[in-house]
Amino acid sequence: MGCFPSSRSDTRVSTTVQVVFQKAGNMPLTIFTNKTVGKGIKATQAWETSWTKSAVEKKRLLFWENRHEGNPQIWGHLRQVITESNEQTSNELFMHLGLTVIKGLLLTQDSVGVMYNIPPYIISNPDNYGNITPEKISLDEVLLDVSGQGVNTMRIKMEANEAFGNLKYKIAETNGKAPQCVKLLLGEMDIEDWHTPDLLNLPNFAKIVVKFSNK
């Protein structure tokens, strides 16, 4: 028997995951959902930050130095693609990688199924820099506080390039459930195929519903 039968007698537990995070790690980042910058595979939503250009460059360097999942050579080539100023050369370099494009350079997949997630601030420059130089520059992460009826209260940290679907495995393990008995929803949208960078487009304190079956 599946975890989500169609019977009306099935009782599910619904709870809310409170998403508490700073966009792009500790970097204040505003993304303009109605404006696009860049061309072709380098197209992203426009963004701006109150950080200085120097601080943003340090943040970018930290990103590249901490790509530990996936193929290091592919990460190196993706970095070349992004930093290459000639559009034709950049496209040719990317085509030679043989990656499956899911969402431009923001999300690609290699031949063995590994996802490569690159946030907009790595691919494109902001509309505006600011004048703030942070005391510390940290890696991207999303902190999720999980609580609700029938759910063990917990705090989960998701890394920048971690599949958001891993959240359901962590919730399932903590609550003694099978992963297939957990659903992640934003409104009516199933979001377990999201990745952490996708959360950067959500407002702070966005609410994600977790549903458990009664099995």
Side-chain angles (χ1 to χ4, degrees):
M1 182 177 290
C3 285
F4 292 92
S6 58
S7 172
R8 291 189 178 182
S9 63
D10 175 39
T11 301
R12 301 178 187 176
V13 177
S14 296
T15 188
T16 297
V17 176
Q18 189 73 53
V19 181
V20 182
F21 65 96
Q22 288 184 298
K23 297 176 179 179
N26 62 329
M27 181 169 73
L29 180 68
T30 301
I31 295 179
F32 303 103
T33 57
N34 60 347
K35 182 179 179 182
T36 301
V37 295
K39 298 179 180 179
I41 58 172
K42 289 187 178 181
T44 73
Q45 291 174 319
W47 62 281
E48 67 178 15
T49 180
S50 58
W51 278 14
T52 63
K53 182 177 181 180
S54 175
V56 172
E57 291 302 321
K58 290 179 180 178
K59 175 77 173 177
R60 287 170 169 169
L61 182 60
L62 187 65
F63 173 88
W64 291 118
E65 290 178 342
N66 286 273
R67 299 306 92 203
H68 303 308
E69 295 183 3
N71 187 321
Q73 290 185 329
I74 290 180
W75 278 120
H77 291 314
L78 285 171
R79 187 175 185 178
Q80 281 185 290
V81 170
I82 290 171
T83 56
E84 172 57 55
S85 59
N86 184 279
E87 182 180 356
Q88 182 177 347
T89 302
S90 179
N91 287 335
E92 290 175 354
L93 287 171
F94 180 76
M95 292 298 294
H96 289 158
L97 293 179
L99 295 175
T100 300
V101 177
I102 298 174
K103 196 176 180 181
L105 281 178
L106 294 167
L107 182 60
T108 56
Q109 185 177 39
D110 67 15
S111 59
V112 297
V114 176
M115 297 285 192
Y116 297 84
N117 303 275
I118 305 177
Y121 71 85
I122 297 294
I123 301 171
S124 60
N125 291 321
D127 281 1
N128 295 293
Y129 291 102
N131 57 7
I132 294 177
T133 300
E135 293 182 4
K136 179 181 178 181
I137 297 176
S138 65
L139 290 172
D140 295 356
E141 62 182 26
V142 175
L143 295 176
L144 303 109
D145 291 321
V146 183
S147 63
Q149 180 184 358
V151 180
N152 294 323
T153 300
M154 60 190 296
R155 168 163 283 192
I156 297 174
K157 183 174 78 170
M158 303 290 290
E159 302 294 341
N161 62 337
E162 184 175 3
F164 189 62
N166 288 352
L167 174 63
K168 79 171 187 176
Y169 290 92
K170 296 177 180 181
I171 292 175
E173 182 180 15
T174 303
N175 290 277
K177 300 281 187 178
Q180 61 268 29
C181 295
V182 178
K183 285 186 178 294
L184 301 176
L185 303 169
L186 180 65
E188 298 297 322
M189 186 187 307
D190 189 317
I191 59 172
E192 67 180 60
D193 290 333
W194 280 25
H195 284 67
T196 305
D198 294 316
L199 289 177
L200 300 181
N201 291 330
L202 295 178
N204 288 331
F205 309 111
K207 293 183 179 180
I208 296 169
V209 173
V210 178
K211 287 189 175 181
F212 297 98
S213 74
N214 61 346
K215 304 297 182 182

